[in-house]
Amino acid sequence: MAKAKKKKSAPNFTRFIKWFWILFATGILGVVVIFLLASWGLFGEMPTFERLENPQTNLATEIISSDGQTLGKFYLDDNRTPVAYEDLPQNLVNALIATEDARYYEHSGIDARGTLRAMVFLGKRGGASTISQQLSKLLFTERISGGTFERILQKVKEWVIAIRLERQYTKEEIITMYMNIYDFLYNADGIRSASRIYFGKEPKDLKTEESAILVGMLKNSSLYNPVRRPELMLQRRNTVLGQMAKYDFITEAERDSLQALKMDINFSPESHREGLATYFRMYLQRFMNEWIEKNPKPAMEGERDRWNIFLDGLKIYTTIDARMQANAEKAVEAHMKNLQREFFHQNTPERNPTTPFVDLEKEEIDGIIERAMKNSDRWREMKNAGVAEDEIRASFRQKTEMTVFDWNSETREKDTVMTPLDSIRYYKTFLRAALMSMEPQTGHVKAWVGGINYKHFQYDNVIQGARQAGSTFKPFVYAAAIDQLRLSPCDSLPDSQYCIEAGKHGNPEAWCPKNSDGKYSGKMFTLKHALANSVNTVTAQLIDRVGPKPVVSIVRNLGMHREIPEVPSIALGTPDFNVYEMVGAYGTFANQGVYVKPVMVTRIEDKNGAVLYEYVPETKDVLSKDVAYAMVNLMQGVTEGGSGTRLRHDFNKENTLYKEIITGYPYGFTNPIAGKTGTTQNQSDGWFMGMVPNLVTGVWVGGEDRATHFKSLSYGQGASMALPIWGLYMKQNYADTELAVSQEEFVEPEELSINVDCTKLIEEGADTHDIEDDLDDLDF
């Protein structure tokens, strides 16, 4: 009988299944343990709850104009100004999610599907890093680890932090933090700086294709650099647009049309030495340093114990109007370029062997150059480094490559080779300028231009140092005389040689000032005519009658606290003042006799909007309304029949002088303008102070050294050097009606006790000589 075949038993998978689940559970447990160990800090320090609540990021301090524009920022390495989620355009958010994290709203910090895909395909089909993970890396990873094991541990830490961030913040807050922190290169830290630097606009104004460029940079801003690698960046932008279409944020038709556009970058790098209001911003830095010294920072855990304008994200609200500031800078640039061309023409080596200096001996010139050399950065740095003086001097005679200022270049720079000693003399050939404009009723400074180019000429002529005031000082003498002696603009004095004897008013010897042309008409001039035409003999008689002491007293009450000798010669403007002081003082005349200290900063806030500082106006009653109005009336004569008349007339269009340097002429003003020109000895300084009811503006022009000047009064007077800047500036202001610069009459007191109507005197035959008839007889 045949044996029955033994049946084959079915394979037993129980053991394999058991081991599978053991390994799976061990893996899961291992992952949990690793996450726990990482969260406990065993793989390295983890951020505390407080740091997650308030991540320490360096924020730039923002300088904000009175019309809401960003004038600039203070920062060291991070030019970062945060924006709120509401200020991010939807197209930017859509581009970010479509490209970096399509399931962003579905996960809690870790994208499981993306992580599994990345592990299976070793990252060849895309990474798995979520927006939250990328944010944790930006916030808390100082450097990427080199080894594989260390990198895995670092990745685990990023996962843990990402989960914590998701618990701590909303999705919108995470996107906002990420876009505010990313470094887009070229000091474009965060989305707001990037929008301004690459496109010249605020984030909310970004177009879809522009948002695609910035999101494309997130993958690797060094590689996808729109400035250095535009072709590669264009490809990356189009990839982002493709992702947006893939996830239905845009249609395929929109994708195709946007991808067909060329990449349009408006690259405008931001730096401390370039941009709008550079001189003002550097003044503001000094202001803030002084404020920080007096205002300690409240103690907070994890925070710096002292305010830092480069790191703390303060907001400084200023009185500067960005539109008026731009007008002022354009006016200074237009006229100074023109004026400098004529100065070079008149000071060629053939015409002036000692150029740019006039009437100096070699020893005097050597002294000027020697002082400049010892005050230079090169000398100071080499001296501090312990280099011997002989070697330092030798280095100043060695030719070297350098970039210097040049009016004829569009960039205002040119590359050249010269010795440092030659560069000192080269820079001394350039005339300097300053302008400050203020609202007299509030003291709010609306424009501040300290020089012709901050990058190359960092001395701020608005507030640093001082120069002789010349005839712009005379209104203070007239104000004292009208106030103390109750004179009126219509009172007359003779134009004849006048001497104040030795011993009187502190005179060590007799003082007998001459008129600018050395002539004396012998006629009786009204005070209005005498001030309009800067008749020195009349000013001398006034200070003799009133005395120097009341004049000095008024000047000090007008905010000018320099040492002023109480002697008669101050009447012709021998004291030194700066533009800041002069504008503040003249503002008193336009503000009915009340001095208001110039204000530049109205409010300072911390990064959270808490107010740290609010200004309190500083005012002082100096003159009565009647005296102030009489002074305004006197100075209106300057622009109606005196040295400022060229602001109104147009009959000199063919005059050579006007064609060469009276930039912007004719100006065609018909509205009330009060002003005063000023010119110092040898034409070293040219001034013009101009006022309308709600704006007082002072302009100064001159060389760095007093020996740098025009030889001729026609070219070197304040009416030629400074007044055109005022004219150009005001024309631009009036062209923008939103600025609301007044063209109305100055406010007359209700019961004016001083006679300002001199028409009867004119009808009776008083002299009305117009100084414009003879350019050489203009203001001294």
Side-chain angles (χ1 to χ4, degrees):
M1 188 174 179
K3 271 187 176 181
K5 282 188 179 180
K6 199 173 181 181
K7 259 187 171 183
K8 249 184 178 181
S9 61
N12 188 357
F13 293 105
T14 306
R15 187 174 56 175
F16 297 104
I17 293 171
K18 179 182 177 182
W19 276 106
F20 170 79
W21 284 110
I22 291 174
L23 290 174
F24 181 78
T26 303
I28 294 295
L29 182 63
V31 169
V32 172
V33 169
I34 289 172
F35 268 74
L36 281 172
L37 294 176
S39 66
W40 292 339
L42 266 67
F43 300 147
E45 185 184 1
M46 293 289 283
T48 62
F49 172 82
E50 288 76 14
R51 282 189 69 196
L52 285 173
E53 182 72 26
N54 296 289
Q56 184 71 38
T57 56
N58 295 334
L59 302 178
T61 287
E62 187 176 8
I63 306 164
I64 303 169
S65 70
S66 62
D67 55 321
Q69 301 299 309
T70 298
L71 292 174
K73 299 177 187 176
F74 294 129
Y75 60 90
L76 291 178
D77 298 320
D78 299 328
N79 177 19
R80 180 179 295 109
T81 303
V83 297
Y85 182 81
E86 295 74 25
D87 295 321
L88 298 177
Q90 191 59 46
N91 60 50
L92 179 76
V93 176
N94 293 343
L96 174 66
I97 291 171
T99 309
E100 297 294 326
D101 194 349
R103 287 177 290 277
Y104 177 65
Y105 291 107
E106 300 170 14
H107 63 68
S108 298
I110 300 175
D111 182 2
R113 285 169 57 187
T115 302
L116 186 62
R117 182 194 64 221
M119 292 173 63
V120 171
F121 296 101
L122 301 177
K124 292 179 181 179
R125 293 192 180 180
S129 187
T130 64
I131 293 173
S132 305
Q133 286 175 249
Q134 292 177 47
L135 175 60
S136 70
K137 181 178 177 181
L138 289 173
L139 283 173
F140 304 110
T141 302
E142 294 183 1
R143 60 182 182 84
I144 298 175
S145 301
T148 303
F149 181 69
E150 289 85 356
R151 182 70 191 108
I152 291 172
L153 290 181
Q154 194 173 70
K155 200 70 178 174
V156 170
K157 288 169 64 178
E158 288 173 10
W159 285 342
V160 173
I161 295 171
I163 293 171
R164 288 184 175 180
L165 287 172
E166 290 270 356
R167 290 176 180 172
Q168 193 72 32
Y169 297 100
T170 66
K171 292 287 187 178
E172 290 76 15
E173 288 172 332
I174 288 173
I175 286 176
T176 306
M177 290 171 67
Y178 180 52
M179 296 308 296
N180 279 329
I181 284 173
Y182 193 81
D183 180 0
F184 290 89
L185 303 180
Y186 303 109
N187 290 325
D189 299 293
I191 189 63
R192 182 155 187 239
S193 292
S195 300
R196 288 168 57 87
I197 287 173
Y198 289 109
F199 302 107
K201 59 178 67 173
E202 294 296 322
K204 60 184 176 62
D205 299 320
L206 289 171
K207 299 176 183 177
T208 301
E209 64 272 21
E210 293 168 340
S211 292
I213 290 173
L214 296 178
V215 168
M217 294 178 71
L218 296 174
K219 185 173 184 180
N220 184 335
S221 57
S222 296
L223 178 63
Y224 298 105
N225 182 329
V227 177
R228 297 184 61 187
R229 299 186 178 91
E231 296 84 6
L232 192 61
M233 185 68 249
L234 181 63
Q235 294 174 19
R236 179 64 184 162
R237 182 203 70 175
N238 289 344
T239 298
V240 173
L241 293 170
Q243 288 293 104
M244 293 181 74
K246 177 181 177 181
Y247 292 102
D248 298 324
F249 290 117
I250 59 175
T251 65
E252 291 188 2
E254 287 174 320
R255 177 201 62 195
D256 294 341
S257 64
L258 291 173
Q259 287 181 340
L261 295 174
K262 66 182 183 68
M263 192 172 67
D264 190 11
I265 297 291
N266 179 19
F267 184 58
S268 306
E270 295 180 348
S271 77
H272 299 306
R273 294 189 172 191
E274 296 170 317
L276 197 64
T278 45
Y279 288 95
F280 175 75
R281 284 189 271 140
M282 290 306 103
Y283 158 78
L284 198 56
Q285 185 174 330
R286 297 192 298 272
F287 173 93
M288 289 301 298
N289 289 338
E290 291 177 9
W291 180 84
I292 287 168
E293 287 295 326
K294 299 173 185 174
N295 295 271
K297 186 178 184 181
M300 290 183 65
E301 186 177 347
E303 292 274 351
R304 288 175 281 270
D305 59 0
R306 175 185 169 92
W307 293 114
N308 188 313
I309 62 171
F310 301 107
L311 305 174
D312 284 338
L314 303 177
K315 289 187 183 293
I316 307 172
Y317 292 88
T318 73
T319 60
I320 297 293
D321 186 293
R323 298 160 297 180
M324 295 174 78
Q325 179 68 30
N327 291 344
E329 292 185 12
K330 289 174 188 173
V332 169
E333 182 171 271
H335 180 61
M336 292 307 295
K337 181 181 179 182
N338 199 22
L339 190 67
Q340 189 68 48
R341 183 176 62 247
E342 181 60 28
F343 185 78
F344 282 152
H345 174 70
Q346 294 185 22
N347 284 274
T348 60
E350 295 76 26
R351 290 187 173 93
N352 180 14
T354 60
T355 185
F357 310 109
V358 179
D359 298 330
L360 287 190
E361 300 295 330
K362 182 180 183 303
E363 294 74 18
E364 295 174 294
I365 295 173
D366 290 344
I368 291 173
I369 301 299
E370 175 79 6
R371 287 191 297 274
M373 179 172 66
K374 289 187 174 181
N375 287 331
S376 68
D377 290 338
R378 172 185 287 268
W379 182 284
R380 184 167 52 254
E381 289 167 5
M382 295 182 76
K383 193 77 173 174
N384 292 339
V387 180
E389 186 168 318
D390 288 347
E391 292 182 48
I392 298 176
R393 290 184 180 277
S395 75
F396 274 85
R397 291 176 170 79
Q398 294 173 357
K399 287 192 173 185
T400 182
E401 293 181 356
M402 62 178 70
T403 302
V404 297
F405 180 75
D406 179 23
W407 274 121
N408 296 321
S409 167
E410 285 188 15
T411 62
R412 299 293 182 249
E413 289 183 329
K414 69 176 181 181
D415 295 327
T416 187
V417 176
M418 64 172 71
T419 69
L421 209 57
D422 288 338
S423 74
I424 289 174
R425 191 157 186 153
Y426 173 76
Y427 275 98
K428 285 188 177 292
T429 63
F430 288 95
L431 298 172
R432 316 299 168 87
L435 177 152
M436 186 175 121
S437 195
M438 183 188 81
E439 188 178 78
Q441 290 76 23
T442 61
H444 288 192
V445 174
K446 294 299 179 183
W448 177 304
V449 185
I452 57 175
N453 182 287
Y454 181 78
K455 188 174 182 180
H456 291 276
F457 304 92
Q458 293 178 23
Y459 191 84
D460 187 347
N461 294 288
V462 166
I463 201 165
Q464 290 179 308
R467 296 295 284 257
Q468 279 191 348
S471 291
T472 55
F473 188 86
K474 288 178 181 176
F476 308 135
V477 179
Y478 279 69
I482 292 174
D483 184 51
Q484 300 288 314
L485 306 176
R486 307 311 294 170
L487 299 179
S488 98
C490 303
D491 287 329
S492 298
L493 289 171
D495 174 25
S496 57
Q497 176 77 65
Y498 191 85
C499 290
I500 300 178
E501 63 268 22
K504 188 176 184 182
H505 303 311
N507 256 354
E509 56 187 36
W511 182 60
C512 306
K514 298 178 180 179
N515 288 330
S516 60
D517 60 358
K519 300 174 184 178
Y520 312 97
S521 68
K523 297 177 181 179
M524 296 293 290
F525 287 152
T526 64
L527 297 191
K528 188 168 186 176
H529 173 84
L531 182 65
N533 296 286
S534 266
V535 181
N536 291 339
T537 57
V538 172
T539 309
Q541 293 173 67
L542 290 176
I543 199 164
D544 186 23
R545 289 190 182 194
V546 74
K549 191 168 184 177
V551 175
V552 172
S553 176
I554 280 182
V555 168
R556 286 181 178 150
N557 284 331
L558 294 175
M560 301 191 280
H561 302 293
R562 299 177 186 273
E563 284 297 320
I564 305 171
E566 293 180 0
V567 295
S569 60
I570 63 172
L572 302 188
T574 54
D576 291 352
F577 300 106
N578 57 39
V579 176
Y580 170 87
E581 294 168 318
M582 292 294 285
V583 171
Y586 269 67
T588 307
F589 299 133
N591 192 35
Q592 299 186 313
V594 179
Y595 169 76
V596 182
K597 185 178 180 181
V599 177
M600 284 69 73
V601 177
T602 56
R603 190 169 80 256
I604 302 171
E605 295 178 356
D606 69 9
K607 64 183 179 183
N608 299 314
V611 177
L612 306 175
Y613 164 85
E614 231 167 350
Y615 93 104
V616 177
E618 295 182 41
T619 65
K620 186 174 187 177
D621 290 340
V622 180
L623 302 169
S624 69
K625 290 182 179 181
D626 289 7
V627 172
Y629 184 76
M631 287 307 305
V632 168
N633 181 270
L634 276 169
M635 288 187 280
Q636 281 183 272
V638 173
T639 67
E640 291 168 355
S643 53
T645 313
R646 59 185 60 177
L647 288 171
R648 301 188 183 283
H649 67 56
D650 64 357
F651 55 73
N652 272 326
K653 285 186 281 190
E654 300 307 314
N655 183 291
T656 303
L657 171 69
Y658 282 74
K659 285 182 175 180
E660 288 172 347
I661 65 166
I662 311 301
T663 316
Y665 178 85
Y667 305 103
F669 295 118
T670 58
N671 57 294
I673 299 170
K676 187 70 190 82
T677 55
T679 312
T680 61
Q681 193 170 11
N682 297 326
Q683 301 80 243
S684 294
D685 307 276
W687 291 81
F688 184 70
M689 306 297 300
M691 301 185 290
V692 295
N694 65 349
L695 196 65
V696 177
T697 305
V699 181
W700 168 87
V701 175
E704 180 183 16
D705 303 280
R706 291 186 55 80
T708 302
H709 58 77
F710 283 102
K711 293 181 180 180
S712 152
L713 184 61
S714 297
Y715 287 89
Q717 63 183 284
S720 297
M721 292 212 296
L723 178 144
I725 293 175
W726 192 93
L728 288 168
Y729 169 63
M730 292 300 289
K731 277 182 75 173
Q732 293 178 84
N733 286 342
Y734 283 132
D736 186 348
T737 54
E738 289 186 4
L739 295 177
V741 177
S742 175
Q743 299 192 55
E744 305 301 317
E745 295 283 349
F746 289 89
V747 177
E748 181 179 332
E750 289 184 7
E751 296 181 6
L752 182 62
S753 62
I754 300 174
N755 177 34
V756 296
D757 183 5
C758 306
T759 53
K760 287 185 179 180
L761 292 173
I762 293 174
E763 289 167 4
E764 292 167 4
D767 186 71
T768 57
H769 169 67
D770 188 340
I771 202 165
E772 289 289 340
D773 293 339
D774 184 356
L775 290 169
D776 288 332
D777 287 345
L778 277 176
D779 172 40
F780 184 79

